[in-house]
Amino acid sequence: MKKLFGRKKKEKLKNATHINMGGVYVLGVMYVIFMVVLIAVQANVRYTIRADRLTLLPREELAKLKTEQLERMGSSFQTIQNGQSEADGTASQTEQDTLQEQEIQPVTDEAATQTEQDIQQKQDVHKDTLLVIEEGDAGSEKAQKLYIPVFSQMKIDFDVCTAEAFEPEMIPEYDKIVLAITHYPLLADTIADLKVWVKQGGSLMIAYPPEVSGSYQTLYEILGIKDSGDTTLVEGLHFDKNFMIGGTAKDYYIIDAYDCSLGLSITDDCEVYIRSTDEYSVPLVWRRKAGEGTIVVDNFGILEKAYRGIHCAAYSLMGDYCIYPVINGAAFYIDDFPSPVPGGDGQYITRDYNMSISDFYSQVWWNDIYELAKKHNIYYTGLVIEDYSNQVSGEFVRNREVRRFQYFGNMLLRSGGEIGIHGYNHMPLVLENFDYKDQYDAYIQWPSVEDMRNALDEVLDFTHDLFKDEELLVYVPPSNVLSREGRELLNETSIRSVAAVYLSTDMAFEQEFEVSEDGMINCPRITSGCVIDEYMELAALSELNLHFVNTHFVHPDDVLDEDRGARLGWAKLYKNLCSYYDWLYKVSPKIRNMTGTELAAAVEHYDLVEVNRSFADDKLTLKLDNFNGENWMLFRVNNGEKLLRVRGGGFDEVADGLYLIRCLKDEVELEIYK
Ligand SMILES: [Zn+2]
């Protein structure tokens, strides 16, 4: 590009001497402009800076709001133990402090009498949902780890109760009861009352396939089950109804499929939403009217984080309506970008392009990635690595070879993107107390927090020098590994958002979409790479429906790494990536494209808002606490009604009976047309 301009310029100047002085003057001016442009490219003057559409609250204010929320939400759901309703705390999970460690406090039999008194006292406090669990049962424990965070994140008003302590008197206290138990004989004393309650208008959900017992079979009449057999294999999901965002776009297959459902036949009056793709397909999610009430059966037994959205969607079929806050954002992070030329095996680049790794990135890879962004209006967030060194102590020397950084960095910024930090080098921020379990032979731990700080300071300063307008707010941990000490350190820098991973792998730093107590915003990445396998497809589908979010990690070095598909060649990898993007924007054209910081702001809005719902006269009124200018919700209507208008906001239908609601005021009214 520069060479070409240089040549043209010289030719024009040569010609100019033969024309006249006016022409020389004009060309002189052009020359000066030209040089300014060239210098500007080198010196990082940005021509267009896309203003962030969402901005972050100041760190201290955010930390304060989050702390206050956690104190308030301490009683967001309760379990009843020893005769008392005990606050169990919010299920909001600060990084890695997941519900696995959170004890679900049981309600004991002995406590039942006292419990009843408590309930009597709380007659006026009508709750939305009761989750009935079974202590010490592996299936129920998995279900709790899934449903409790899901309900908390949907900001549902719910209680948790053990099957042993579940008394008939408790039933009318709730609109919805979700049974997350394996052994239904535990409910021998309540099943008859549950059935009556459903027929009178209650809404009951079976949260996962239980053990078939005489007690469970007594529910078949209202569940619409004619006959049941053994557990059965589910190889994929087929959506009979277009009720989830992206559901009917294709069939979704399950990696490492296993027997996770009950083989059964159901009555014709069941509305099947999802069934298995297998030849003799099994109904996986269905809804049925039973008297005045409704039942939902979730017969899909994979209760992992990647499938949360499926179970959230099943739950949302309970009752007449369901509304919950969502993030509404799609962000794409680019690993090690800009960085020095990555090392690695360039044989597939040589095979397909016959060029150096460096030329491949500037002439092929970036063009493709850039075009893809333009096609879908994506704003990438690139994560800087200053130097591929092994250094973890001493003075961190400034990398003076900056042309590549400037070239890619400025292109990224000019296309509306953002620059964040990955590290001085690719050594994860862990100390010598961290065990790599022999998985990363090349990685060296840092001797001290001070050394980590020095390296971080260097890369922040280096990046700031190159891109003066960038605030450097986003951090992605190298190899997704981050220690508590490293995480604490980040809060002492300009970093406001940590984007690690949503789905756990061995030693990866797992996160939820949330604000931490110290004001750091967690924006985990859900999917990655150019080989989008079935697991990632389902995770992406799931998160569109739970949080209306998509976060993807682009690895420039996929083409250098056989494990990430290098052998396929860039053309094929790129095609995969294109079809993933095409799928995303086909199924969710309304999703907001964002940089990492904007997504952090969207997570902030989503996480802080508290939702009070009230329904009367075909109107659903939402009162939003901690409202900060804008919030988004997914709203499901279950009985064929239509959403007529939204006062204080707007809406779009994103699937059949599912609306994306934009709330622009702290009080929003949804008018429903029957
Ligand atoms: Zn990296």
Side-chain angles (χ1 to χ4, degrees), residues 335-336 385 422 426 477-479 553 555:
D335 190 20
D336 297 26
I385 290 280
H422 204 29
H426 215 278
S479 300
F553 201 37
H555 295 288

Side-chain angles (χ1 to χ4, degrees), residues 398-531:
R398 177 68 44 101
N399 183 353
R400 302 286 169 196
E401 191 49 65
V402 295
R403 279 197 0 217
R404 208 179 132 87
F405 288 89
Q406 288 171 329
Y407 175 74
F408 287 124
N410 286 327
M411 295 268 271
L412 190 75
L413 293 172
R414 283 203 297 275
S415 61
E418 175 178 353
I419 289 183
I421 297 295
H422 204 29
Y424 174 76
N425 52 30
H426 215 278
M427 297 297 155
L429 296 180
V430 299
L431 297 173
E432 280 157 359
N433 58 13
F434 188 86
D435 185 5
Y436 274 120
K437 297 173 189 159
D438 295 328
Q439 284 191 32
Y440 292 98
D441 292 342
Y443 283 175
I444 307 164
Q445 293 108 323
W446 298 76
S448 71
V449 172
E450 204 48 41
D451 289 306
M452 297 199 291
R453 181 181 287 119
N454 291 342
L456 261 184
D457 284 348
E458 167 50 32
V459 66
L460 284 162
D461 197 47
F462 166 78
T463 313
H464 180 70
D465 258 10
L466 290 175
F467 312 107
K468 294 213 170 0
D469 297 333
E470 279 299 275
E471 292 187 86
L472 310 179
L473 303 169
V474 173
Y475 173 82
V476 168
S479 300
N480 304 320
V481 173
L482 180 63
S483 64
R484 187 178 49 77
E485 297 90 343
R487 165 62 184 75
E488 278 171 11
L489 185 59
L490 291 169
N491 217 32
E492 298 170 18
T493 68
S494 60
I495 300 296
R496 298 292 313 276
S497 173
V498 175
V501 287
Y502 185 69
L503 300 169
S504 68
T505 53
D506 232 6
M507 60 187 70
F509 196 76
E510 186 189 337
Q511 296 174 307
E512 297 286 343
F513 290 97
E514 64 177 359
V515 178
S516 291
E517 254 178 292
D518 63 0
M520 190 67 88
I521 304 164
N522 303 324
C523 296
R525 291 162 288 113
I526 303 159
T527 55
S528 68
C530 294
V531 181

Side-chain angles (χ1 to χ4, degrees), residues 345 347-349 351-353 360-361 364-365 368-369 372 380 528-533 536 552-582:
D345 177 4
Q347 64 165 305
Y348 300 107
I349 291 175
R351 180 191 71 186
D352 300 336
Y353 299 94
F360 167 77
Y361 281 110
V364 180
W365 182 86
D368 287 347
I369 290 293
L372 195 50
Y380 289 119
S528 68
C530 294
V531 181
I532 317 291
D533 65 13
M536 277 200 253
H552 187 76
F553 201 37
V554 179
H555 295 288
D557 57 346
D558 278 345
V559 75
L560 303 176
D561 186 342
E562 281 209 7
D563 290 343
R564 293 208 295 254
R567 190 187 291 270
L568 295 169
W570 172 242
K572 172 70 180 141
L573 291 174
Y574 182 58
K575 212 173 142 200
N576 285 350
L577 195 62
C578 290
S579 53
Y580 178 64
Y581 286 30
D582 287 343

Side-chain angles (χ1 to χ4, degrees), residues 189-242:
D189 297 339
T190 37
I191 277 189
D193 294 275
L194 269 176
K195 285 164 74 173
V196 171
W197 169 77
V198 169
K199 285 175 183 166
Q200 289 172 349
S203 190
L204 180 73
M205 173 170 168
I206 307 298
Y208 65 91
E211 191 176 285
V212 175
S213 58
S215 298
Y216 187 56
Q217 284 168 324
T218 61
L219 283 172
Y220 281 12
E221 171 211 343
I222 58 166
L223 302 182
I225 298 176
K226 284 196 288 199
D227 203 8
S228 60
D230 292 332
T231 52
T232 185
L233 187 72
V234 177
E235 288 186 332
L237 306 181
H238 172 80
F239 289 78
D240 276 18
K241 289 189 191 297
N242 179 35

Side-chain angles (χ1 to χ4, degrees), residues 583-604:
W583 167 83
L584 174 65
Y585 294 102
K586 182 181 153 213
V587 304
S588 51
K590 299 288 177 189
I591 201 162
R592 296 182 295 177
N593 280 323
M594 299 182 151
T595 63
T597 296
E598 287 172 327
L599 184 73
V603 169
E604 176 192 295

